[in-house]
Amino acid sequence: MLPNWTVSPAAEKFIRRMVKFSGLPASAGFRLTVTPGGCSGYNSEFTVEAEPAPGDEVADVNGVKVFLPAESRLLLEGVIVDFADTPTKSGLTFVNPGAAPCACSSSGDAASAAPPSVSKIDIGSIKLSPTTRPLA
């Protein structure tokens, strides 16, 4: 079952561009894997794949296919997926409005820490699938 989630226009644009410039056919999709991590936050990875992996469900985000593994579908329930592009970070962010704020001291300097329930994906973490051609 697909999650009840929100993908912002900025995140949709990012996902659409990743698929478009992957070198794969237009029928390819964006595979988003989300795992628990950090202080009430998420760790995530993504690839562009020609087809969903076994067990993936396909979400349609305004005509773009997003392949979601089972654990990711559970974690994305109620989450807002956005894209941030600032001088200090660039990538997808995940905000869970229902998550309790973190009060632990393990996050280091609270003034410079990211807000609870926010994670980012750096452009360097993009992994190409074995069927993806390298960009020239």
Side-chain angles (χ1 to χ4, degrees):
M1 185 159 79
L2 292 172
N4 179 20
W5 62 327
T6 302
V7 178
S8 75
E12 177 191 336
K13 181 178 178 182
F14 174 75
I15 292 168
R16 186 177 302 281
R17 285 181 154 201
M18 294 304 300
V19 173
K20 180 178 181 179
F21 295 112
S22 69
L24 292 174
S27 61
F30 185 89
R31 186 166 198 267
L32 178 60
T33 304
V34 180
T35 56
C39 232
S40 302
Y42 303 94
N43 291 319
S44 56
E45 293 184 0
F46 60 86
T47 56
V48 177
E49 304 286 339
E51 57 190 48
D56 285 357
E57 294 246 357
V58 181
D60 181 283
V61 177
N62 294 322
V64 178
K65 294 177 188 174
V66 179
F67 305 146
L68 299 171
E71 183 177 2
S72 298
R73 294 191 306 266
L74 292 172
L75 291 171
L76 288 170
E77 183 64 34
V79 169
I80 300 165
V81 180
D82 198 3
F83 181 80
D85 190 13
T86 68
T88 58
K89 65 180 176 179
S90 181
L92 293 174
T93 62
F94 303 86
V95 179
N96 185 347
C102 175
C104 74
S105 60
S106 65
S107 60
D109 179 10
S112 65
S117 303
V118 176
S119 179
K120 70 179 180 92
I121 300 174
D122 291 320
I123 228 48
S125 69
I126 299 171
K127 296 179 182 178
L128 297 176
S129 72
T131 58
T132 304
R133 301 180 293 172
L135 299 174

